[in-house]
Amino acid sequence: MEDFTEKLILDDTKIGWHLDRVEKWKRGEKFAPITIDMALTRACNYSCGYCYAMLQENDRHNIDQKVIYDFLEDCADIGVKGISFVSDGENTISPVFVDAVIRGKELGLSMAVGTNGYALTTSKLEMILPHLDYIRINISAGEPKRYAEIMGTREKAFDRVCKNIREMVRIKKENNLKVTIGMQMVLMPQDKDQIMPLAELGKELRPDYLVIKHCSDDEDGSLGIDYDKYEDLYDTLHEAEALSDDEYSVVVKWSKIRANGKRSYQKCYGAPFMLQMSGSGLVAPCGMLFNEKYKKFHIGNIVETRFKDIYNSDRYWDVMNYLSSPEFNAQKMCGSLCLQHKVNEQLDAHVKGSPLLQPEGNKPIHINFI
């Protein structure tokens, strides 16, 4: 078997494999995002206690099939490489979910999905898995009662999600698919009792990996995350990693867990490389700026305006340039350790004099999801 762990990057960025975009950025030229992280709806069938999306309400619009098809065509035309249906809603409950995955792949885009997994069925999985680079199930507990408490749903949902993960693994193996199947734990310190049960559950269900990550909070600390308490979990996290074997990896996002919720940089350079969009259709630099109170950062809405026109607008580039200007301070104006954090770290170091070179060795999998 190939060394899977060396090809899978979950606690770093792949920006070094996209130096053509970096060079355009350095020259001040326009360039399309490498990755767009987005949702097809703001609605969700769960109410997770760690959900950052609940802090980011904005005006809702309906993304129908025409809107998403136009959007995907525009992305392919301008040079976007990967679309991940993750963001601020449960994409699988959107009526356009399956069609959007298939259409994106037909257009040559790399496609990925993050989901709680509840609304998936065998027939849907059979339709989407051949078109995905990865599918990641958000499952932050390994026991039914705690699962219901942490994720804001009923206990019986736990068994249904586990069944769906087993189905994914079966379909992948029987059809020799390349899709990577992952499970994800968003770890709040008070939920440390679920680290080992979930790691053991993953070893039973046999996805490719379980990733354990920190929980982001907003600049006001609305979720009440005490980042100092993550250090108390280190021994347990190492114990969970030790459950890894040749076909199942437990991966802890150590760099963010050890960061204590703090950034080393002030300017945000990562947004134009890794754009985020709300399930309302809103185009904004990142998920931490979806809320209506951040309206000065809102660029447009794909329900009302074609994405290629938004991308080519002065407004789009004015907002992106503001984020990398001295007027913006990510340490004071943003929540903790956003999606673009690792990209920001590398680009900030590069601006300050560190070389940014393409890494040696084989390209990692999911290269278009930076």
Side-chain angles (χ1 to χ4, degrees):
M1 180 179 174
E2 294 180 330
D3 189 345
F4 176 79
T5 57
E6 285 190 1
K7 297 171 66 178
L8 179 68
I9 295 177
L10 293 171
D11 191 24
D12 205 343
T13 173
K14 309 179 193 79
I15 191 68
W17 279 275
H18 299 277
L19 295 183
D20 56 332
R21 307 275 167 124
V22 175
E23 290 302 316
K24 286 186 176 183
W25 169 68
K26 288 163 63 176
R27 294 193 296 265
E29 299 175 11
K30 293 182 179 180
F31 61 95
I34 300 164
T35 307
I36 295 181
D37 179 285
M38 67 175 297
L40 297 168
T41 178
R42 278 280 293 143
C44 188
N45 49 1
Y46 278 36
S47 183
C48 301
Y50 54 78
C51 183
Y52 198 97
M54 290 192 294
L55 308 176
Q56 296 297 319
E57 188 61 64
N58 56 78
D59 289 341
R60 300 194 181 197
H61 296 76
N62 180 46
I63 299 177
D64 61 21
Q65 188 183 71
K66 182 181 187 310
V67 169
I68 193 61
Y69 275 24
D70 286 348
F71 170 78
L72 293 169
E73 288 169 7
D74 287 348
C75 286
D77 286 346
I78 68 174
V80 175
K81 295 186 177 183
I83 303 289
S84 52
F85 290 141
V86 180
S87 203
D88 62 345
E90 176 50 47
N91 294 289
T92 61
I93 65 176
S94 165
V96 302
F97 168 65
V98 172
D99 289 342
V101 170
I102 295 171
R103 182 59 179 152
K105 186 65 174 180
E106 289 174 345
L107 290 166
L109 297 164
S110 297
M111 303 299 295
V113 168
T115 170
N116 59 40
Y118 182 82
L120 292 170
T121 62
T122 297
S123 60
K124 285 183 178 179
L125 288 169
E126 288 173 340
M127 286 188 281
I128 66 171
L129 289 179
H131 303 281
L132 294 175
D133 281 26
Y134 72 81
I135 184 167
R136 187 181 67 228
I137 307 301
N138 299 314
I139 175 171
S140 293
E143 298 168 329
K145 183 175 185 298
R146 293 289 283 126
Y147 176 88
E149 292 170 353
I150 293 168
M151 303 197 68
T153 186
R154 296 168 294 175
E155 286 188 35
K156 65 181 183 180
F158 178 81
D159 291 333
R160 177 167 172 168
V161 171
C162 289
K163 174 181 177 293
N164 283 336
I165 294 172
R166 289 190 181 94
E167 278 293 273
M168 294 175 204
V169 174
R170 179 190 66 78
I171 293 167
K172 173 181 176 174
K173 288 183 176 179
E174 289 183 0
N175 295 278
N176 195 29
L177 302 177
K178 292 184 178 181
V179 60
T180 301
I181 300 170
M183 293 165 49
Q184 175 173 275
M185 179 183 202
V186 179
L187 176 61
M188 299 180 82
Q190 62 264 36
D191 299 326
K192 61 185 179 181
D193 63 296
Q194 290 304 295
I195 295 172
M196 291 308 298
L198 183 55
E200 290 163 355
L201 177 66
K203 200 169 181 72
E204 175 192 340
L205 297 179
R206 310 305 296 172
D208 296 301
Y209 69 84
L210 163 67
V211 63
I212 303 174
K213 60 170 286 187
H214 76 301
C215 182
S216 292
D217 208 340
D218 67 7
E219 66 270 33
D220 298 320
S222 299
L223 295 178
I225 309 300
D226 185 346
Y227 289 99
D228 290 333
K229 290 186 176 179
Y230 278 114
E231 188 172 357
D232 297 336
L233 313 183
Y234 288 2
D235 288 346
T236 307
L237 290 170
H238 285 302
E239 186 181 351
E241 288 180 316
L243 291 177
S244 300
D245 56 41
D246 289 344
E247 295 182 336
Y248 166 66
S249 297
V250 179
V251 180
V252 177
K253 286 196 172 186
W254 284 110
S255 70
K256 287 188 174 182
I257 284 177
R258 288 177 171 143
N260 225 22
K262 298 176 182 176
R263 303 169 186 267
S264 61
Y265 54 88
Q266 295 181 341
K267 297 178 182 178
C268 175
Y269 300 118
F273 294 89
M274 193 176 192
L275 183 71
Q276 284 183 273
M277 293 171 49
S278 173
S280 66
L282 172 69
V283 179
C286 72
M288 291 186 171
L289 298 175
F290 286 165
N291 193 289
E292 283 297 298
K293 67 181 179 180
Y294 303 118
K295 200 144 191 160
K296 71 176 184 178
F297 298 105
H298 295 176
I299 302 168
N301 193 299
I302 61 169
V303 176
E304 301 169 333
T305 309
R306 289 286 294 249
F307 179 66
K308 61 184 177 183
D309 294 326
I310 295 173
Y311 163 77
N312 285 313
S313 69
D314 290 340
R315 172 71 179 166
Y316 182 97
W317 293 102
D318 286 346
V319 171
M320 296 300 178
N321 291 333
Y322 177 79
L323 294 176
S324 61
S325 75
E327 298 175 54
F328 185 78
N329 187 337
Q331 293 173 341
K332 296 179 179 180
M333 302 167 71
C334 292
S336 58
L337 308 185
C338 61
L339 184 72
Q340 294 85 356
H341 176 65
K342 301 304 294 186
V343 177
N344 277 329
E345 281 188 332
Q346 284 209 13
L347 294 178
D348 183 69
H350 184 50
V351 168
K352 293 173 179 175
S354 296
L356 181 58
L357 305 174
Q358 180 172 309
E360 296 181 356
N362 295 331
K363 293 180 179 180
I365 59 175
H366 313 155
I367 195 168
N368 293 329
F369 300 98
I370 62 169

